[in-house]
Amino acid sequence: MKRTKGSSITRVLEIIDLVARATYPISAATIAESLDIPRPSVHRLLQQLADEKYLESNLAGHWLPAPQLRNMSLGILHNARFRAGHNAILQQLASKIGETCGLSIPSLSGVHMTYLDRAQTNWPLQINVPMGSEVSVTSTASGKLYLASLPLAERERLLRNLPIPRLTRNTITDTQQLSAELDRIAQTGIGTDNEEFIEGMVACAVPIFDNQQRFLASLFVHAPAVRFSLEQLLEHAPLLQAAAIELYQSDFTLQA
C-alpha cells in the first residue's frame, strides 16, 4: 500500500537520513524503493542535494554523505547543549583514570578519525591533539578499532588502498601484520596504540555502538609512556566500557 505523499522537505530529510545511516553507498533505485518515492523525484532531489554538497555519488553512481552534511553533523555534535552531557562523563572518566579521555569518530572519507571532544587532567606533561584534528586510522587505537569493526571484505578493500605511513618506530606498516592486529582487536573489542601514532604515547579505545550494534564512535584514553605502560592502561578498559554505555544512553547525539 502506497504511503501518503509527503512534502519535498520531508522527502529530502528522509533521503539524507537513509544515506547517512547506510553502511554502504546506496543506489537511487534502493532509495526510491526504501522510501516509496517515485524514481524521477528521487533523482531530482539527489541532484539538488549533490549541488548543495550534502550528498555525493561514487564512481558506481551510488550515494553517500558529502562534506556539507558532515559539517552540519559536527556542528550539532559541538552544540553546547549536547556536549555538556557527554563532557561530564568524559571528565569523570578522566578523573578516575588520571589521564586524558576523549571521543573520536570516523571522518567522512573513512581514512581518518576526527577528534570530537576530550577531557584532560592537570599533569604538567600533556599530549595535546586539538579537537577537530584528523588523525591516522591505521596507527591510532581509535582508528584501528574502527577498522576492526568493519565487515571483513570492506576492511580488506580499505587496507589494499590505504596509505600506511610510518609515524614512529612502532607503527605497523605491513598490511598482513596490520590485518592480524585488526583481527585481534575485533575479538577483544579494545583498540590499542603502543607508541604507534606518537612516540612516547600509549592509548586504548573501546567502541560506542548504537542499538543495532553499528559503530558510532571510539572512546579513548591516552597517556605518556613514562606514566603508563600499555598493559597498565588496559587495566582501565572496564571503566571505558561502562562509560561507553553511559555515553550512548545519555544526551550523546550519535544515537540512532
Side-chain angles (χ1 to χ4, degrees), residues 154-183:
E154 184 177 354
R155 185 211 302 174
E156 290 178 345
R157 178 183 59 79
L158 274 174
L159 290 181
R160 284 196 300 270
N161 295 288
L162 274 177
I164 310 178
R166 179 173 292 282
L167 302 177
T168 74
R169 61 186 176 182
N170 285 357
T171 303
I172 302 172
T173 57
D174 179 77
T175 302
Q176 289 186 339
Q177 187 180 352
L178 181 57
S179 183
E181 169 78 350
L182 297 178
D183 286 340

Side-chain angles (χ1 to χ4, degrees), residues 54-223:
Y54 284 97
L55 299 180
E56 62 187 11
S57 60
N58 62 15
L59 292 175
H62 293 179
W63 293 86
L64 64 159
Q68 187 60 27
L69 183 57
R70 173 182 176 274
N71 291 339
M72 184 172 70
S73 65
L74 286 176
I76 294 170
L77 291 170
H78 282 290
N79 183 286
R81 175 196 164 197
F82 299 116
R83 279 195 65 200
H86 64 252
N87 194 260
I89 297 171
L90 289 178
Q91 292 286 354
Q92 185 178 46
L93 182 64
S95 178
K96 288 178 180 178
I97 298 176
E99 295 293 346
T100 297
C101 297
L103 295 165
S104 63
I105 57 176
S107 67
L108 184 65
S109 64
V111 299
H112 297 95
M113 296 297 287
T114 301
Y115 273 42
L116 182 65
D117 202 356
R118 71 171 184 271
Q120 292 182 291
T121 53
N122 295 321
W123 288 103
L125 174 61
Q126 299 276 1
I127 298 172
N128 184 18
V129 181
M131 287 186 292
S133 297
E134 289 195 340
V135 299
S136 168
V137 78
T138 57
S139 60
T140 58
S142 294
K144 289 192 291 179
L145 183 66
Y146 164 65
L147 290 177
S149 75
L150 296 174
L152 187 58
E154 184 177 354
R155 185 211 302 174
E156 290 178 345
R157 178 183 59 79
L158 274 174
L159 290 181
R160 284 196 300 270
N161 295 288
L162 274 177
I164 310 178
R166 179 173 292 282
L167 302 177
T168 74
R169 61 186 176 182
N170 285 357
T171 303
I172 302 172
T173 57
D174 179 77
T175 302
Q176 289 186 339
Q177 187 180 352
L178 181 57
S179 183
E181 169 78 350
L182 297 178
D183 286 340
R184 182 193 63 77
I185 291 172
Q187 289 181 344
T188 64
I190 302 172
T192 57
D193 165 11
N194 191 16
E195 299 188 63
E196 298 161 49
F197 174 52
I198 296 175
E199 200 84 42
M201 185 186 84
V202 295
C204 65
V206 301
I208 299 175
F209 292 120
D210 68 9
N211 55 13
Q212 297 180 44
Q213 288 300 294
R214 292 177 298 191
F215 183 96
L216 297 178
S218 289
L219 171 61
F220 65 83
V221 57
H222 63 63

